[in-house]
Amino acid sequence: QQQFPLDIEFTSTVFDRIHRMPIEYTCTDNEYYPESGFEFRYGEEKSPPLAWTGAPEGTQSFAIVMDDPDVAARDTVVGGRWVHWVIWNIPADVTELPELIATTTDVLSIGPTTRQGTNDYKRIGWSGPCPGENLVAIQGSAGKNIKTAHKYTFKVYALDTQLDLQGGSSK
């Protein structure tokens, strides 16, 4: 029986598990709400900087998937998890990604076989969340609509191989 310790620590310099994703990394339709007290800005649709440590011995490559697990519970049309980003064959010696990864199938700036897939927006690479779109009205106990935000998850996979997938493949 094999055991795989879960020691990979995944971080970003721009957000953590407590804070919301900064607007720069959301979709271009996203905007600060006037009542927020912040200057008015739109999302910039750029991927966030990411870093990880603690990969197991024998790691040959990494893959990252960012998705929204709340879609299935709130949208009967979509079902499942809404995928915002799929990137794979990140070389084992690469432990961080800069912000604004090109939205191309081949990402040679990261590695010679690094590829990105098609997300659920039917686009290649990163498609930032649209919190304005993803605030869903649900019926509250007092009969009022309550807006609820979605959660987004980043998963890093340490693989013992390189994936033999064409760029543009889906999750």
Side-chain angles (χ1 to χ4, degrees):
Q1 181 179 22
Q2 291 181 311
Q3 292 188 3
F4 300 95
L6 301 176
D7 293 335
I8 296 178
E9 183 178 343
F10 195 65
T11 60
S12 176
T13 57
V14 297
F15 59 89
D16 60 31
R17 288 179 274 194
I18 298 169
H19 295 100
R20 293 180 183 259
M21 187 176 297
I23 195 161
E24 296 87 343
Y25 307 100
T26 65
C27 71
T28 56
D29 290 339
N30 188 36
E31 60 188 43
Y32 277 124
Y33 299 114
E35 65 271 20
S36 71
F38 295 104
E39 68 180 76
F40 188 81
R41 290 179 26 208
Y42 284 99
E44 298 175 27
E45 197 83 61
K46 59 184 180 181
S47 59
L50 304 170
W52 55 94
T53 59
E57 188 176 318
T59 298
Q60 296 296 309
S61 70
F62 295 99
I64 297 173
V65 175
M66 191 284 242
D67 62 21
D68 175 356
D70 292 335
V71 170
R74 299 179 184 168
D75 188 342
T76 57
V77 176
V78 176
R81 299 171 79 96
W82 189 263
V83 177
H84 288 268
W85 195 25
V86 181
I87 184 170
W88 64 91
N89 288 348
I90 300 167
D93 62 347
V94 173
T95 58
E96 61 184 52
L97 297 179
E99 70 179 11
L100 194 57
I101 300 293
T103 53
T104 56
T105 53
D106 297 339
V107 192
L108 301 177
S109 63
I110 297 172
T113 62
T114 302
R115 306 283 182 267
Q116 293 188 104
T118 302
N119 59 44
D120 284 338
Y121 290 101
K122 307 296 184 224
R123 296 189 295 230
I124 300 295
W126 172 266
S127 285
C130 285
E133 290 178 6
N134 292 336
L135 291 175
V136 179
I138 58 174
Q139 194 72 23
S141 60
K144 295 182 179 179
N145 284 338
I146 301 169
K147 299 278 187 171
T148 60
H150 285 208
K151 297 177 189 130
Y152 300 97
T153 60
F154 287 84
K155 292 179 220 102
V156 60
Y157 298 90
L159 306 174
D160 64 357
T161 188
Q162 293 258 331
L163 297 177
D164 186 19
L165 294 172
Q166 294 288 335
S169 297
S170 65
K171 177 183 163 188

